[in-house]
């Protein structure tokens, strides 16, 4: 997730681009840059935030009323000056800003190197500038359309040519992009807040739309350059509301981003019927006889999913460990151990210490990380990024979804390397992964019903989340979400363990949230629900569609679309996140910044 902006009009472009980028900084702040076209073309970029870019620009004048800008959330290549956008072709005729991931960039890069180009950065974006340049014959629009037809992956692009001072071009596929319509001036941006200070009239581009943006108008085309029309919408939100995309809190916005996040996390990893993790070499499991997942909080809960999957598919003993415990034990780790280190921020102190301990003992390490260039990503032997984009709400939601998805992909890929996953099974999983974004959308459509339930439940004092196998892993995460933002005591428990103690606490005032999506054990969990009901407890069940029987037992059921048992956590966590969110919201709490908590815990 990065932010892009573009301007053409009668004013100086620079202050408008900077202001726009500030509104997009929530999308990433690893580096920032602008390109301004006037008499000459100037490109200024730097590692760091927009404030660092402003420092670099101080005292210099850049005259020009056309420009594009970028704020980066690194995906390919470290966050440094050289990888900062805009990127440009050698002749500096073509300048590009990009949000998204180009899946086939390595192939394209090889082809362009053969043609004699020299690359300056490690990014996927640089190939786009060179590709457009190679098609450029005096018409930027045509060159862009030819180039984007060769790109696989997701992109929102702003493209300028030094030789064309009266227009720039924008394209969108699977990454957001809006066009702001002004008077004698027009804009593009990754999100509405960046254009709102200048205009309330916007066109939300759709996949495959190309925009030719001029001072006096905007022309829209499909990828083959056939003219198309899109409605202009009037935005009535304030800038502050718009930053949250119209959602009341970042947490809710991030939950609603999950279908997109699921798609991005599998990009380049699910290809046709195959699952592949290009970041991992094929002999990574050589000699491995033990697997650990270490992490804290929500990331640890993703690790619990990893433990179940690793045991099942790799047939190697696997453990999930809370990093703050692991680091102070004498864990049985040696050179035959594979240590998965899971962290959204990549900076959690205990997680880092556990990683360093593991390395000292000789373990091979794989980071499952969101923030590119973070400490965990730098210190692990290999890193598989989850590509969830910046997470702003303290309570982690979309990162968890991407973590469990990437862990599942990684374990299945490793199983394939060990010949423990047949081509038929691989195909079945690959095809099911592709359906997950739509299934997540289906769940989000139930959000009003979930909110209604949460509002009627807002005064509960205690909850138990129960489940078996992967549903147990989910119950841990459901309970954590509820306690951290709504301050209601909640515990995640293995459903079969309830009668060994906690059942004593169940009264008609208790709410039990039973997760029952794991088909091989669903009848067992159903029996546990009956035990709760017999003690007068109230039960909300989260079950897979088609398991109608559960309606006769539970007080309320939210169904989630059926998927393969092993992939259920990716989508079945969504109702749990929504329940926590709406209970906290009905209690009027500060959801994005819950008391006593911080987004990144860099002290032990
Ligand atoms: C809970 C939450 C925390 C983090 C934990 C680890 O919603 O966000 O439990 O998961 O502090 O953080 P990272 O993943 O950054 O290492």
């Amino acid at each position: 997730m990065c932010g892009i902006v573009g301007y053409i009009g009668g004013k100086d472009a620079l202050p408008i681009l900077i202001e726009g980028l500030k509104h997009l900084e929530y999308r990433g702040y690893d580096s920032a840059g602008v390109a301004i076209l006037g008499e000459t073309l100037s490109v200024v970029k730097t590692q760091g935030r927009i404030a660092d870019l402003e420092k670099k620009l101080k005292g210099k004048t850049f005259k020009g009323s056309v420009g594009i800008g970028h704020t980066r959330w690194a995906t390919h290549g470290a966050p440094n000056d050289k990888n900062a956008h805009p990127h440009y072709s050698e002749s500096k005729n073509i300048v590009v800003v990009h949000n998204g991931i180009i899946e086939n960039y390595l192939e394209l890069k090889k082809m362009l190197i053969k043609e004699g180009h020299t690359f300056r950065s490690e990014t996927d974006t640089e190939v786009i500038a060179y590709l457009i340049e190679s098609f450029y014959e005096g018409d930027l629009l045509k060159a862009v359309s030819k180039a984007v037809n060769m790109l696989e992956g997701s992109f929102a692009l702003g493209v300028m040519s030094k030789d064309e001072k009266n227009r720039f071009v924008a394209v969108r596929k699977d990454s957001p992009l809006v066009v702001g319509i002004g008077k004698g001036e027009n804009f593009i941006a990754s999100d509405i807040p960046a254009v709102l200070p200048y205009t309330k009239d916007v066109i939300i581009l759709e996949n495959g739309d190309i925009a030719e943006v001029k001072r006096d108008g905007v022309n829209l085309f499909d990828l083959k350059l056939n003219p198309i029309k899109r409605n202009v919408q009037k935005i009535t939100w304030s800038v502050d509301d718009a930053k949250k995309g119209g959602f009341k809190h970042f947490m809710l916005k991030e939950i609603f981003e999950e279908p997109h996040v699921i798609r991005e996390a599998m990009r380049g990893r699910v290809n046709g019927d195959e699952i592949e993790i290009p970041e991992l070499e094929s002999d990574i499991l050589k000699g491995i006889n033990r697997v650990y997942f270490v992490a804290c909080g929500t990331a640890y809960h993703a690790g619990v999913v990893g433990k179940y999957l690793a045991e099942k598919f790799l047939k190697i003993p696997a453990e999930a460990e809370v990093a703050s415990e692991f680091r102070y034990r004498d864990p049985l780790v040696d050179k035959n151990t594979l240590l998965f280190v899971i962290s959204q921020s990549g900076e959690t102190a205990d997680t880092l210490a556990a990683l360093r301990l593991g390395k000292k003992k000789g373990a091979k390490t794989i980071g499952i990380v969101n923030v590119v260039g973070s400490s965990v990503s730098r210190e692990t032997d290999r890193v598989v990024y989850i590509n969830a984009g910046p997470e702003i709400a303290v309570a982690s939601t979309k990162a968890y979804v991407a973590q469990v998805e990437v862990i599942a992909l990684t374990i299945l890929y490793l199983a394939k390397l060990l010949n423990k996953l047949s081509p038929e099974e691989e195909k079945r999983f690959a095809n099911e992964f592709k359906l997950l974004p739509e299934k997540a959308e289906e769940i989000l459509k139930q959000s009003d019903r979930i909110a209604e339930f949460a509002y009627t439940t807002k005064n509960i004092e205690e909850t138990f989340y129960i489940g078996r196998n992967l549903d147990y892993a989910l119950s841990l995460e459901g309970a954590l979400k509820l306690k951290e933002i709504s301050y209601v005591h909640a515990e995640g428990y293995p459903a079969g363990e309830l009668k060994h103690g906690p059942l004593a606490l169940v009264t008609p005032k208790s709410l039990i949230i039973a997760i029952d999506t794991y088909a091989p054990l669903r009848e067992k969990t159903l029996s546990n629900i009956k035990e709760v009901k017999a003690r007068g407890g109230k039960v909300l069940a989260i079950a897979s569609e088609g398991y109608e029987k559960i309606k006769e037992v539970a007080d309320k059921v939210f169904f989630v679309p059926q998927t393969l048992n092993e992939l259920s956590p990716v989508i079945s966590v969504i109702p749990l996140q929504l329940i926590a969110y709406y209970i906290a919201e009905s209690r009027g709490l500060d959801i994005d910044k819950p008391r006593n908590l911080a987004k990144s815990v860099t002290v032990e």
Side-chain angles (χ1 to χ4, degrees):
M1 196 154 132
C2 301
I4 70 170
V5 289
Y7 173 77
I8 183 163
K11 302 179 191 138
D12 270 345
L14 184 60
I16 294 171
L17 297 178
I18 296 287
E19 165 86 9
L21 289 177
K22 283 184 184 164
H23 287 296
L24 297 179
E25 204 166 23
Y26 77 89
R27 301 179 64 83
Y29 37 79
D30 290 326
S31 63
V34 285
I36 306 287
L37 184 57
E39 284 304 304
T40 55
L41 176 79
S42 316
V43 178
V44 183
K45 49 190 188 170
T46 183
Q47 179 177 352
R49 293 176 170 252
I50 318 292
D52 299 303
L53 179 66
E54 281 181 298
K55 269 188 217 146
K56 201 163 177 175
L57 289 164
K58 210 168 176 186
K60 298 183 183 129
T61 41
F62 293 98
K63 284 271 162 227
S65 55
V66 194
I68 51 179
H70 190 269
T71 180
R72 178 167 187 242
W73 169 261
T75 58
H76 292 65
N80 57 26
D81 280 7
K82 151 176 106 171
N83 291 329
H85 299 218
H87 287 282
Y88 42 84
S89 57
E90 291 110 318
S91 67
K92 250 190 171 183
N93 177 30
I94 304 296
V95 195
V96 175
V97 287
H98 168 217
N99 165 211
I101 296 175
I102 304 302
E103 287 166 18
N104 58 338
Y105 86 102
L106 279 177
E107 266 163 73
L108 294 171
K109 194 167 174 172
K110 273 188 207 145
M111 179 190 92
L112 290 159
I113 288 172
K114 259 196 197 153
E115 287 173 11
H117 296 281
T118 316
F119 281 80
R120 292 173 297 254
S121 78
E122 300 143 358
T123 63
D124 50 344
T125 304
E126 204 177 351
V127 298
I128 306 174
Y130 288 29
L131 210 55
I132 297 174
E133 169 100 335
S134 69
F135 287 116
Y136 189 76
E137 288 172 346
D139 184 339
L140 184 64
L141 190 61
K142 278 195 187 147
V144 170
S145 112
K146 283 184 185 153
V148 293
N149 278 300
M150 292 181 71
L151 301 178
E152 284 166 24
S154 58
F155 46 85
L157 300 174
V159 188
M160 284 193 323
S161 161
K162 183 174 68 180
D163 296 336
E164 301 194 27
K165 296 193 167 59
N166 293 319
R167 65 174 178 176
F168 69 87
V169 175
V171 198
R172 182 221 152 136
K173 184 185 163 255
D174 286 344
S175 291
L177 195 60
V178 301
V179 177
I181 308 290
K183 287 200 174 64
E185 57 182 7
N186 291 301
F187 311 79
I188 59 157
S190 297
D191 201 356
I192 294 168
V195 302
L196 267 192
Y198 310 102
T199 177
K200 301 220 173 289
D201 294 330
V202 304
I203 297 173
I204 304 198
L205 293 184
E206 293 184 15
N207 279 339
D209 288 0
I210 303 188
E212 179 193 31
V213 189
K214 299 176 163 183
R215 286 184 179 79
D216 56 357
V218 176
N219 301 314
L220 299 180
F221 305 90
D222 66 14
L223 288 177
K224 294 201 169 103
L225 290 187
N226 300 308
I228 53 167
K229 289 230 173 309
R230 299 274 175 237
N231 291 337
V232 177
Q233 301 184 20
K234 191 64 78 219
I235 301 297
T236 50
W237 316 322
S238 70
V239 172
D240 267 359
D241 287 345
K243 270 190 199 161
K244 294 181 190 142
F247 291 98
K248 192 165 172 192
H249 296 97
F250 279 109
M251 180 177 172
L252 193 61
K253 179 176 186 233
E254 286 161 5
I255 295 173
F256 273 79
E257 277 168 18
E258 286 171 350
H260 174 72
V261 165
I262 294 172
R263 219 170 266 125
E264 290 303 297
M266 74 176 91
R267 210 171 269 295
R269 296 169 179 160
V270 177
N271 304 311
D273 293 341
E274 290 196 32
I275 294 172
E276 220 185 314
I277 303 290
E279 297 87 337
L280 303 181
E281 66 272 23
S282 58
D283 64 349
I284 187 138
L285 284 177
K286 199 165 161 221
I288 296 299
N289 61 18
R290 187 185 290 267
V291 178
Y292 277 109
F293 295 85
V294 290
C296 300
T298 287
Y300 161 70
H301 296 155
V304 178
V305 172
K307 166 195 159 76
Y308 281 91
L309 295 183
E311 267 176 7
K312 175 160 191 172
F313 291 104
L314 304 181
K315 314 276 182 230
I316 297 177
E319 279 310 326
E321 295 266 358
V322 169
S324 56
E325 284 298 308
F326 183 88
R327 66 179 288 194
Y328 290 121
R329 287 194 3 248
D330 193 5
L332 300 176
V333 172
D334 59 23
K335 65 177 181 13
N336 299 319
T337 304
L338 178 63
L339 192 68
F340 281 93
V341 183
I342 310 161
S343 179
Q344 187 285 127
S345 63
E347 302 296 347
T348 303
D350 284 318
T351 306
L352 261 173
L355 161 62
R356 288 173 186 156
L357 175 69
K359 281 183 84 171
K360 204 161 127 202
K361 285 173 168 279
K364 258 190 204 168
T365 56
I366 298 179
I368 305 287
V369 180
N370 197 25
V371 178
V372 173
S374 58
S375 303
V376 173
S377 76
R378 281 186 274 114
E379 294 187 32
T380 39
D381 300 321
R382 291 283 173 270
V383 57
V384 186
Y385 286 113
I386 62 168
N387 297 332
E391 197 175 55
I392 292 170
V394 164
S396 184
T397 52
K398 63 175 181 171
Y400 173 85
V401 164
Q403 281 159 353
V404 290
E405 180 183 356
V406 168
I407 289 170
L409 284 164
T410 306
I411 298 296
L412 290 166
Y413 174 65
L414 295 178
K416 171 167 122 168
L417 293 179
L418 291 177
N419 290 324
K420 288 178 179 161
L421 188 76
S422 69
E424 295 73 40
E425 277 177 302
E426 183 182 6
K427 180 175 172 181
R428 208 157 56 92
F429 275 106
N431 289 317
E432 190 58 31
F433 271 108
K434 290 181 220 160
L435 298 176
L436 291 178
E438 270 168 48
K439 293 185 178 182
E441 299 274 9
E442 282 304 306
I443 298 174
L444 290 171
K445 283 187 195 145
Q446 293 188 59
S447 66
D448 287 349
R449 282 188 61 224
I450 295 177
E452 213 173 284
F453 169 81
Y455 276 60
T456 58
T457 322
K458 69 175 191 181
N459 292 324
I460 40 161
E461 285 167 15
E462 171 146 83
T463 51
F464 285 97
Y465 286 68
I466 58 167
R468 288 170 182 260
N469 199 287
L470 292 172
D471 288 337
Y472 163 59
L474 277 169
S475 76
L476 296 173
E477 179 54 11
L480 177 63
K481 280 292 89 80
L482 185 69
K483 49 189 155 195
E484 66 178 326
I485 59 166
S486 73
Y487 316 146
V488 174
H489 179 239
E491 266 187 76
Y493 237 82
E497 191 63 11
L498 208 59
K499 56 175 133 349
H500 297 285
L503 206 52
L505 290 172
V506 172
T507 69
K509 284 192 182 153
S510 314
L511 173 67
I512 281 63
I513 300 186
I515 303 141
D516 203 1
T517 70
Y518 187 76
L521 295 174
R522 66 186 181 192
E523 299 297 321
K524 302 266 176 214
T525 302
L526 196 71
S527 302
N528 299 129
I529 296 175
K530 286 180 188 161
E531 288 161 11
V532 169
K533 289 298 305 166
R535 272 86 190 164
K538 192 171 165 199
V539 176
L540 163 70
I542 310 295
S544 299
E545 263 163 17
Y547 192 44
E548 294 296 315
K549 199 164 143 187
I550 201 161
K551 282 208 235 162
E552 289 158 30
V553 186
D555 297 281
K556 179 98 188 162
V557 184
F558 292 127
F559 284 108
V560 291
Q562 276 189 19
T563 178
L564 297 175
N565 289 314
E566 294 79 7
L567 303 188
S568 171
V570 181
I571 54 169
S572 301
V573 74
I574 302 173
L576 304 177
Q577 295 170 339
L578 288 170
I579 288 165
Y581 173 81
Y582 285 116
I583 289 182
E585 203 246 338
S586 65
R587 293 173 155 230
L589 298 171
D590 188 359
I591 293 181
D592 286 334
K593 292 196 181 79
R595 72 182 178 208
N596 306 339
L597 300 180
K599 182 70 187 156
S600 180
V601 185
T602 52
V603 290
E604 75 166 288

